Amino acid sequence: MRILAIETSCDETGVAIVEDGRRIRSNVVASQLVHQDTGGIVPEVAAREHLRVLDALTEKALRDAGRDLTEIDAVAATVGPGLIGCLLVGANYGRGLALAAGLPFVGVNHLEGHVYANWLYELEGGEPPSDPPPEPLIPAVVLVVSGAHSDLVLMEAHRRFRALGRTIDDAAGEAFDKVARLLGLGFPGGPIVERIAKEGDPNAFPLPKAALADRYDFSFSGLKTAVLRLVRELEKKGTVPIADVAASFQKAITEMLAEKTARAAAEHAVETVLLGGGVAANLALREEIARRIGHPLRVPRPGLCTDNGAMIGAAAFYVLRHRGTEIPVAVRSDMKLA
Ligand code: KG4
Ligand code: ZN
């Protein structure tokens, strides 16, 4: 089963060709640079950008895969959650393409895409590897951490997710982005904070970690405010040691995420721990979680943690295989994982 998959929920336009939910034939991603000037995403601008590049990216994805539309079995697109205008562009484009080619259209939950990114693998020298990585074992505890979401879920079976906890205020990626802006580091903040933090001392400034005892929910707004206060104080004293602040913030947030993930893994009978979403690209987070769990940890490579079409192609395959009664097609900005 060969799926052409489209991702446009936020500020990345992605088109990919994925086989059997796992094998990436092609995966093109265009990151919108227009938002760097505004330091954040302007939804209407993002939607227009998706529309501008989708046709060319789709042609490139087919060309890279060495396939034409007649060799595609289904078209998939993200239908939520995300920015409504952006979702509508990708979903309508995908629906139109499917209709014109006489193919089924599959709507995909973006968060399921982040989970199923763990099922993907790449070609080697244009050919499928002789021993592809095994599928992740389920049940699994899954942490999806992105610019808009921080969800801790139990994946009981394919496409069966039970919510354990989620953020009650900011998403983890949003916290990275806000701290980066505070430190004058640019957007998106996560990768820059990670890079700068390498030069800093993570123990330079102790920062508060919201406890929310015996729950699996997260809260990052207190941490963000503490960083703001710290920076204002340091500014009064003279220069701000940016690397030390970044490292201290990264230590606090990764410990908060790792502590609950490890506890969830210990308290549920699971085979694996899976990570997904842009923040899962953070090496310090991976290491902190790996250190605390007794389970195998699976994390997509960084380029598959951030938004891309391949993860939507993987999830779409499992939607078709475990669809129940109907395939979702309607766009909804507030869709949940569980
Ligand atoms: O999954 P994603 O590409 O888009 C959403 O679905 O939101 O996640 C983007 C978020 C941004 O907030 C970005 O700052 C964060 O992921 N991010 C990172 C890293 N790379 C991306 N955060 C921490 N460390 C990173 N290396
Ligand atoms: Zn995402």
Side-chain angles (χ1 to χ4, degrees), residues 16-300:
I17 314 280
V18 177
E19 291 170 348
D20 300 330
R22 301 206 60 204
R23 203 160 45 254
I24 302 175
R25 276 285 164 186
S26 64
N27 187 27
V28 270
V29 180
S31 300
Q32 302 181 350
L33 302 175
V34 286
H35 308 297
Q36 282 175 349
D37 298 336
T38 37
I41 298 157
V42 181
E44 289 76 13
V45 175
R48 232 176 294 130
E49 276 297 298
H50 289 305
L51 192 59
R52 197 174 65 79
V53 300
L54 252 180
D55 231 7
L57 288 197
T58 303
E59 273 173 31
K60 179 155 173 35
L62 285 164
R63 207 164 49 237
D64 286 0
R67 297 288 185 273
D68 62 49
L69 257 186
T70 61
E71 296 167 285
I72 300 296
D73 301 305
V75 177
T78 305
V79 290
L83 301 169
I84 190 72
C86 296
L87 291 168
L88 281 168
V89 169
N92 284 335
Y93 183 89
R95 244 192 305 250
L97 195 64
L99 196 66
L103 296 171
F105 173 76
V106 188
V108 173
N109 180 321
H110 180 82
L111 299 169
E112 273 188 41
H114 277 308
V115 176
Y116 278 103
N118 284 289
W119 269 253
L120 292 167
Y121 62 84
E122 247 103 2
L123 301 178
E124 286 164 9
E127 293 300 319
S130 48
D131 57 339
E135 290 190 42
L137 294 175
I138 41 183
V141 158
V142 192
L143 176 70
V144 179
V145 268
S146 73
H149 298 271
S150 303
D151 288 336
L152 192 58
V153 299
L154 192 61
M155 183 179 188
E156 296 168 323
H158 277 294
R159 305 205 62 235
R160 210 166 75 219
F161 300 98
R162 189 151 67 80
L164 295 175
R166 57 169 55 101
T167 180
I168 59 165
D169 40 56
D170 293 344
E174 203 179 345
F176 269 96
D177 293 336
K178 285 178 177 168
V179 166
R181 191 181 318 158
L182 184 64
L183 296 173
L185 295 175
F187 179 85
I192 317 174
V193 168
E194 180 173 19
R195 184 156 36 81
I196 304 253
K198 287 203 186 91
E199 332 264 277
D201 173 8
N203 298 312
F205 305 106
L207 290 163
K209 285 178 274 176
L212 302 178
D214 70 55
R215 284 161 59 192
Y216 288 121
D217 287 343
F218 303 107
S219 167
F220 302 118
S221 76
L223 172 61
K224 181 192 63 189
T225 309
V227 176
L228 173 68
R229 241 185 255 128
L230 172 68
V231 170
R232 294 289 172 258
E233 245 168 61
L234 291 166
E235 277 170 349
K236 265 188 240 152
K237 285 190 199 151
T239 52
V240 179
I242 290 176
D244 287 346
V245 175
S248 301
F249 161 74
Q250 183 172 269
K251 177 178 194 277
I253 194 163
T254 54
E255 283 179 354
M256 284 160 85
L257 291 165
E259 193 271 317
K260 302 231 160 152
T261 307
R263 187 146 53 82
E267 287 172 5
H268 295 86
V270 293
E271 299 282 343
T272 352
V273 174
L274 308 176
L275 305 188
V279 182
N282 188 288
L283 198 65
L285 176 64
R286 295 174 182 218
E287 286 173 355
E288 190 61 32
I289 292 176
R291 204 169 61 74
R292 291 173 186 240
I293 59 173
H295 302 74
L297 175 68
R298 296 277 293 252
V299 192

